[in-house]
Amino acid sequence: MEFIGQLPPLFLRTIGQTHLAEIHGRRPRRPYLNICPVLKPQDTMVKWTAEERAAIEAVFASLDYESVGRESLTRLLVVYPWTRRYFGGFGNLFNTEAIMANPKVAAHGTVVLQGLEMALEDMDNIKKTYASLSELHSEKLQVDPGNFQLLGDCLTVVIATRMRTEFTPVIQAAWQKFLCVVVAALRRQYN
Amino acid sequence: MSLSAKDKAAVRDLWSKVSGKADDIGNDALSRMLVVYPQTKTYFSHWKDLSPGSAPVRKHGKTVMGGVAEAVSKIDDLTSGLLNLSELHAFQLRVDPANFKILSHNILVVLAAMFPNDFTPEAHVAMDKFLSALALALAEKYR
């Protein structure tokens, strides 16, 4: 198949996708999500539907940042105890009770939620919004970016306790996509 | 990251509180998995209806939670206790083990939504560890 290299890129991608999709037993369709959205090479922007924007705004509107922030960070430090390595200056993090009562944990929980809220200001430019925070986390704080997903999971669990049946599968899907996009933006400056 | 005595006690304690709703938990967790992580639908192309709460989803949610219940009863030795299920998943179903993590996450989300007061941080860590150990036992026969 030497002629393949001479075909224009768009055509190549189309036939490549079609051919592979048929081999794999699926009708050809747009590349789908793994855990996080996969962008086609020419995409530079994540696309949000009106429903997704509404869902994400509804989630934020329902949250008490202080309470949810504190509990999310608490769960991160309890469920994934190795994350305590990043909070050496926070004092007593030795057990669940100490973590839950720790005022620095509470304060930082609020900071995290306010940081997530920043994305809402310009959902079409999330990469730009988090450029400096990404540099902060990679260069100064030196946080293993795998931890962003862990915090996201804890936050999702806490949101479920607050919203309960209102946290429908469709809203959860939009929220998960939002978390993936923010995490990807935060990972961007790591090198 | 093996289960301590404290973890096992926490899992048994939480399970005693939630097992009455096992069918609903299974249905909700599976429904969410199929919607939030659409790549998991590839394992169920033989079902007529993959929408949340549909009959095949309900039925399968019940099956899955039956497996979880069995795992709770065999929590002291998951690897040998779940050998049959491991063989099923390894040789017949051939589910990529990465997906166990996805379903586990959705089970935790459902537990949080349905039992917010019982799903404390301690219960959360114990359950997360248990589901991870369960997934590991399921993957035992893969290779």
Side-chain angles (χ1 to χ4, degrees):
Chain A
M1 303 248 269
E2 306 88 62
F3 67 89
I4 288 281
Q6 291 150 26
L7 294 169
L10 183 63
F11 184 60
L12 268 177
R13 193 179 53 75
T14 311
I15 58 165
Q17 267 177 24
T18 306
H19 182 57
L20 284 172
E22 280 168 24
I23 288 175
H24 287 84
R26 291 195 309 272
R27 70 180 195 285
R29 56 181 165 200
R30 290 162 65 87
Y32 218 114
L33 312 175
N34 195 346
I35 298 278
C36 287
V38 165
L39 303 176
K40 287 188 291 186
Q42 68 268 34
D43 282 348
T44 53
M45 215 169 81
V46 177
K47 294 188 176 49
W48 304 98
T49 65
E51 290 78 17
E52 283 169 340
R53 289 177 199 259
I56 292 155
E57 274 161 32
V59 170
F60 272 98
S62 78
L63 302 182
D64 170 348
Y65 287 13
E66 264 183 47
S67 156
V68 170
R70 186 203 309 127
E71 194 178 330
S72 301
L73 200 54
T74 297
R75 283 181 188 264
L76 178 75
L77 296 165
V78 169
V79 180
Y80 309 106
W82 53 92
T83 55
R84 294 174 205 182
R85 75 190 303 278
Y86 299 112
F87 300 100
F90 275 32
N92 188 353
L93 296 177
F94 297 125
N95 53 56
T96 309
E97 293 73 28
I99 295 169
M100 287 180 85
N102 189 314
K104 289 188 173 175
V105 170
H108 196 64
T110 310
V111 162
V112 167
L113 277 198
Q114 288 167 343
L116 284 173
E117 188 194 41
M118 280 166 44
L120 297 184
E121 290 162 27
D122 190 357
M123 295 273 285
D124 297 320
N125 271 303
I126 289 180
K127 276 189 282 236
K128 188 169 157 215
T129 303
Y130 290 104
S132 56
L133 272 174
S134 179
E135 208 176 300
L136 174 76
H137 283 77
S138 64
E139 300 295 317
K140 184 160 175 254
L141 304 175
Q142 304 208 318
V143 175
D144 179 342
N147 294 295
F148 301 149
Q149 187 62 47
L150 299 183
L151 179 54
D153 286 350
C154 288
L155 182 51
T156 305
V157 161
V158 175
I159 290 170
T161 66
R162 303 296 196 265
M163 290 181 74
R164 310 201 61 190
T165 50
E166 281 178 32
F167 194 53
T168 63
V170 167
I171 292 184
Q172 184 184 344
W175 176 251
Q176 187 61 48
K177 180 176 168 179
F178 172 76
L179 283 178
C180 285
V181 172
V182 170
V183 166
L186 277 176
R187 292 183 85 121
R188 239 172 142 245
Q189 305 300 328
Y190 279 77
N191 52 29
Chain B
M1 291 199 271
S2 53
L3 296 169
S4 66
K6 185 175 163 213
D7 293 324
K8 293 179 192 176
V11 168
R12 288 191 180 105
D13 185 47
L14 182 66
W15 186 251
S16 69
K17 292 174 182 157
V18 313
S19 57
K21 295 265 189 180
D23 291 356
D24 290 332
I25 295 169
N27 172 40
D28 199 356
L30 208 58
S31 299
R32 284 174 191 276
M33 184 187 80
L34 295 167
V35 170
V36 181
Y37 303 92
Q39 73 273 23
T40 57
K41 292 197 288 189
T42 55
Y43 291 99
F44 304 105
S45 51
H46 54 288
W47 286 355
K48 276 207 189 77
D49 186 356
L50 286 162
S51 58
S54 69
V57 171
R58 275 199 173 276
K59 181 167 173 237
H60 196 63
K62 200 169 160 182
T63 306
V64 166
M65 292 313 282
V68 173
E70 188 184 341
V72 174
S73 73
K74 295 176 179 174
I75 200 169
D76 288 318
D77 190 351
L78 286 170
T79 312
S80 23
L82 298 179
L83 268 178
N84 290 337
L85 278 174
S86 181
E87 281 178 9
L88 174 72
H89 284 77
F91 304 128
Q92 284 185 44
L93 303 176
R94 288 183 282 197
V95 174
D96 185 334
N99 294 292
F100 298 153
K101 205 173 189 320
I102 295 175
L103 180 55
S104 297
H105 171 68
N106 284 293
I107 291 174
L108 296 178
V109 168
V110 169
L111 288 174
M114 288 176 69
F115 304 95
N117 298 320
D118 295 314
F119 198 61
T120 59
E122 283 99 337
H124 182 169
V125 61
M127 208 56 201
D128 192 47
K129 283 179 77 173
F130 168 67
L131 291 173
S132 302
L134 206 179
L136 205 58
L138 275 182
E140 176 68 21
K141 290 295 196 179
Y142 268 65
R143 55 176 177 176

